[in-house]
C-alpha cells in the first residue's frame, strides 16, 4: 500500500514539475496540436493518490498536458477568490459543493454539464451532491465518499487498558484518562486544517431543520443556539486540559500522518479514506491498528458521524479550451480510467460502474453505530455564509487567548453574516 501511494505521489510531483513551465491562464497547444489544460485546486486535494493517477493516465493516453495549480490549503479560498476577481480563471476548477463555492459565481463562470454522457453513470447520491438549486450538474464528482468519525488507535487503547466511548460523558472520561497516563488524546491540527468544526455543528442543524431555516433567514444567530456555545466551550476546555497536546497550534496537514503513526496522539476526527490515501506508517502503527467511534464535541450525547463530501471538477465556460476540458472530464468518468485510479481506495462509489474501490475494516466494524448516528453533511453545505476558514479563524483567536467563548461565537456570527451579505442572501441586506 505504501509503495502504491508513494508511486502515485511521485507521479503527481513529476506532473507538477513539468507543468511549472507552462504558466497559468488560458489553455494552450503545442506545435503538435497537443493541449495544455490548467487545473486549479487545493494542494492536499490535488495530491491525492487517485488524482495523481488520473492525471498521469490522461497525459499518457492523450499526449496532452495538465498544468496543475496547487494552492496551499490555508490560503486556498483567499487566493482562488483573488484570481477569479482578476479574471485569472483556470480551465478546470476543483471545489466542494459548499457555501464557499458561492464566492465564485457558478452560473457566470462555469458550464452546466447536464448533457454530458457520464451523468447517467453517477450514483444518485453523487449526482444530487453536484446539482445546484435548479437541478443543474455543476461538476464531475471525481472524489472519495468517506465516513468521518473519531478514528482511534485500538492497539494503543488496548495496551493502556482503555475502551472506546459510546457517549459524550464516556468520551470526556476517556480523554482525561489518556492525558493522566501521559499521552495526547486528540490530534487537532490547528495550523490550516478547518474541517473538524463542522462535525460538531452537523447534529445541531441536521437534527433541527427549523433552526437551520431560521439561521438562514437571519432570524436567529449562533449566539441564540445553546448547542453552538456548548461546542465552543467543549473545544476550549479540551485545549485547556491538554487534550490536544502542547504543539497543536503548529500542527498542520503534513504532520498528521507522523503524529498518528507514532502514537503521539491516540485519536483524530477525520475520515476513513485518509488512511488509504495519506496515512503512511513511519514508525509503530499502521491502518490495521485503527477503528472508529463517533465524534464527540459537546453537541450530541451519542456522538455523530458525517457522510461524504465530494470534490467536483468544474469547467470554465469562457475557456478557449472548454471542449477539451469537457473531454478531460469524460476521460475521468470512463470506467476503465476511474477504476484504475480508485483501485484499493476505501470509498463509497460515486459511479455506477465503480468496482475496484473497497470498504475499510473500520467502517465495516462500526456499521451498526454508523447507521444509528450518521448525519448528512449539513454545516458546511447548508448554512448560508458558512466558511470553514472563518470558523477556524475565530477559534484560533480563542486558542491564542484573544477572545473568550462568547467572543468566539460572536466572531463566528459576524463572519458568517458578513459572508451572507456579500452573497446577497435574502434577509441579510
Amino acid at each position: 500500500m505504501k509503495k502504491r501511494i508513494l508511486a502515485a505521489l511521485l507521479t503527481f510531483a513529476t506532473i507538477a514539475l513539468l507543468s511549472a513551465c507552462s504558466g497559468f491562464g488560458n489553455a494552450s497547444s503545442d506545435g503538435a496540436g497537443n493541449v495544455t489544460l490548467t487545473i486549479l485546486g487545493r494542494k492536499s486535494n490535488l495530491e491525492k493518490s487517485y488524482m495523481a493517477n488520473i492525471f498521469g493516465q490522461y497525459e499518457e493516453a492523450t499526449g496532452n498536458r495538465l498544468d496543475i495549480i496547487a494552492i496551499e490549503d490555508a490560503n486556498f479560498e483567499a487566493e482562488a477568490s483573488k484570481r477569479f476577481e482578476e479574471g485569472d480563471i483556470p480551465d478546470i476548477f476543483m471545489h466542494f459543493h459548499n457555501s464557499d463555492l458561492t464566492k465564485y459565481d457558478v452560473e457566470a463562470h462555469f458550464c452546466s454539464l447536464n448533457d454530458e454522457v457520464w451523468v447517467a453513470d453517477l450514483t444518485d447520491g453523487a449526482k444530487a451532491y453536484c446539482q445546484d438549486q435548479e437541478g443543474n450538474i455543476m461538476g464531475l464528482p471525481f472524489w472519495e465518499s468517506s465516513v468521518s468519525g473519531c478514528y482511534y488507535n485500538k492497539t494503543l487503547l488496548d495496551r493502556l487498558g482503555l475502551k472506546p466511548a459510546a457517549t459524550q460523558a464516556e468520551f470526556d472520561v476517556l480523554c482525561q484518562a489518556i492525558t493522566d497516563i501521559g499521552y495526547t488524546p486528540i490530534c487537532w491540527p490547528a495550523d490550516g486544517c478547518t474541517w473538524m468544526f463542522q462535525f460538531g455543528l452537523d447534529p445541531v442543524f441536521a437534527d433541527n431543520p427549523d433552526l437551520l431555516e431560521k439561521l438562514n433567514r437571519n432570524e436567529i444567530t449562533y449566539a441564540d443556539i445553546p448547542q453552538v456555545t456548548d461546542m465552543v466551550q467543549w473545544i476550549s476546555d479540551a485545549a485547556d486540559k491538554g487534550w490536544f497536546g502542547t504543539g497543536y497550534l503548529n500542527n498542520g496537514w503534513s504532520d498528521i500522518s507522523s503524529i498518528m503513526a507514532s502514537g503521539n496522539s491516540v485519536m483524530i476526527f477525520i475520515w476513513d479514506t485518509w488512511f488509504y490515501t495519506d496515512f503512511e506508517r513511519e514508525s509503530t502503527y499502521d491502518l490495521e491498528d485503527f477503528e472508529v467511534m463517533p465524534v464527540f464535541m459537546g453537541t450530541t450525547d451519542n456522538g455523530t458521524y458525517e457522510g461524504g463530501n465530494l470534490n467536483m471538477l468544474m469547467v470554465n465556460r469562457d475557456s478557449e479550451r472548454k471542449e477539451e476540458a469537457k473531454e478531460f472530464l469524460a476521460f475521468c468518468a470512463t470506467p476503465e480510467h476511474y477504476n484504475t485510479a480508485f483501485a484499493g481506495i476505501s470509498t463509497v462509489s460515486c459511479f455506477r460502474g465503480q468496482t475496484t474501490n473497497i470498504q475499510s475494516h473500520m467502517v465495516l466494524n462500526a456499521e451498526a453505530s454508523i447507521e444509528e448516528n450518521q448525519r448528512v453533511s449539513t454545516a458546511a453545505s447548508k448554512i448560508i455564509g458558512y466558511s470553514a476558514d472563518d470558523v477556524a479563524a475565530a477559534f484560533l483567536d480563542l486558542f491564542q487567548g484573544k477572545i473568550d467563548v462568547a467572543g468566539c461565537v460572536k466572531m463566528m456570527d459576524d463572519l458568517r453574516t458578513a459572508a451572507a451579505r456579500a452573497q446577497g442572501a435574502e434577509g441579510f441586506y
Side-chain angles (χ1 to χ4, degrees):
M1 177 66 67
K2 182 175 180 180
K3 290 181 179 179
R4 178 178 62 79
I5 295 174
L6 287 174
L9 291 177
L10 286 172
T11 300
F12 173 84
T14 302
I15 294 169
L17 180 62
L18 292 172
S19 299
C21 301
S22 64
F24 184 60
N26 289 330
S28 59
S29 60
D30 59 24
N34 293 328
V35 172
T36 297
L37 294 171
T38 54
I39 302 180
L40 173 66
R42 195 179 294 261
K43 184 175 185 292
S44 66
N45 294 341
L46 290 166
E47 289 178 345
K48 296 292 187 184
S49 59
Y50 46 82
M51 298 307 301
N53 185 293
I54 200 67
F55 294 157
Q57 285 190 66
Y58 174 77
E59 291 197 324
E60 182 177 355
T62 66
N64 295 334
R65 297 178 57 217
L66 298 173
D67 184 3
I68 307 299
I69 312 300
I71 299 177
E72 290 291 341
D73 290 19
N75 305 323
F76 176 71
E77 297 297 349
E79 184 172 336
S81 296
K82 184 174 182 291
R83 289 176 181 267
F84 273 69
E85 290 170 2
E86 296 172 349
D88 201 4
I89 303 174
D91 302 307
I92 297 167
F93 185 50
M94 189 174 184
H95 202 284
F96 288 98
H97 185 192
N98 57 28
S99 58
D100 282 328
L101 188 59
T102 59
K103 299 175 182 178
Y104 304 97
D105 197 345
V106 173
E107 186 175 355
H109 290 138
F110 300 106
C111 296
S112 172
L113 302 171
N114 297 339
D115 298 328
E116 299 301 304
V117 294
W118 45 260
V119 172
D121 191 34
L122 297 179
T123 61
D124 291 342
K127 181 179 179 181
Y129 184 90
C130 295
Q131 291 176 321
D132 63 16
Q133 292 183 343
E134 286 71 44
N136 297 309
I137 302 293
M138 298 180 291
L140 172 72
F142 195 88
W143 197 243
E144 63 200 49
S145 185
S146 49
V147 175
S148 295
C150 177
Y151 287 81
Y152 64 95
N153 188 326
K154 182 179 184 299
T155 302
L156 183 51
L157 274 192
D158 286 347
R159 199 179 81 213
L160 298 176
L162 300 172
K163 300 294 184 183
T167 67
Q168 181 72 58
E170 290 179 3
F171 187 74
D172 291 349
V173 170
L174 175 62
C175 288
Q176 192 57 53
I178 292 171
T179 303
D180 292 344
I181 294 171
Y183 288 81
T184 297
I186 303 168
C187 173
W188 188 278
D191 185 12
C193 296
T194 63
W195 64 81
M196 299 84 74
F197 310 102
Q198 68 196 53
F199 301 156
L201 291 172
D202 277 350
V204 179
F205 299 102
D207 296 354
N208 300 278
D210 289 345
L211 281 182
L212 180 63
E213 291 183 14
K214 290 178 180 178
L215 188 74
N216 283 341
R217 291 197 299 262
N218 202 24
E219 294 175 0
I220 60 173
T221 65
Y222 286 147
D224 298 315
I225 305 172
Q227 284 173 285
V228 175
T229 298
D230 290 344
M231 184 191 82
V232 177
Q233 186 70 62
W234 186 90
I235 294 173
S236 178
D237 290 344
D240 291 342
K241 292 174 183 176
W243 293 356
F244 301 156
T246 57
Y248 72 99
L249 290 176
N250 297 316
N251 291 332
W253 177 262
S254 61
D255 302 303
I256 300 174
S257 185
S258 60
I259 290 171
M260 300 309 296
S262 64
N264 286 344
S265 291
V266 180
M267 301 177 285
I268 185 170
F269 301 156
I270 205 161
W271 46 94
D272 61 310
T273 308
W274 177 84
F275 285 89
Y276 294 83
T277 58
D278 297 273
F279 179 69
E280 293 184 40
R281 177 175 177 169
E282 298 178 0
S283 49
T284 307
Y285 300 103
D286 205 346
L287 67 89
E288 297 301 326
D289 294 299
F290 289 85
E291 298 290 346
V292 64
M293 61 179 155
V295 170
F296 297 96
M297 216 179 294
T299 57
T300 181
D301 286 342
N302 295 324
T304 188
Y305 301 91
E306 185 189 62
N309 292 281
L310 304 176
N311 243 320
M312 302 181 296
L313 296 172
M314 307 169 68
V315 174
N316 177 3
R317 67 187 308 165
D318 295 320
S319 167
E320 294 179 1
R321 292 291 182 267
K322 178 173 63 178
E323 295 307 316
E324 289 86 349
K326 288 182 179 181
E327 290 171 4
F328 169 73
L329 266 60
F331 182 94
C332 295
T334 301
E336 176 187 355
H337 303 149
Y338 62 64
N339 275 317
T340 297
F342 283 98
I345 300 296
S346 174
T347 175
V348 176
S349 297
C350 290
F351 302 96
R352 298 183 187 279
Q354 200 165 350
T355 59
T356 58
N357 51 308
I358 62 174
Q359 190 70 53
S360 74
H361 73 275
M362 299 169 284
V363 169
L364 290 174
N365 291 341
E367 188 172 9
S369 176
I370 293 171
E371 183 176 353
E372 182 177 357
N373 298 298
Q374 187 175 33
R375 293 164 174 87
V376 66
S377 178
T378 302
S381 59
K382 296 184 180 181
I383 294 176
I384 293 174
Y386 183 90
S387 165
D389 290 341
D390 286 347
V391 175
F395 272 92
L396 182 59
D397 278 2
L398 175 67
F399 292 145
Q400 293 176 339
K402 297 178 181 178
I403 54 178
D404 59 10
V405 168
C408 182
V409 175
K410 182 180 185 302
M411 186 172 173
M412 290 166 59
D413 267 327
D414 291 345
L415 292 171
R416 176 184 57 83
T417 54
R421 281 194 298 271
Q423 296 168 16
E426 186 175 353
F428 290 85
Y429 304 127

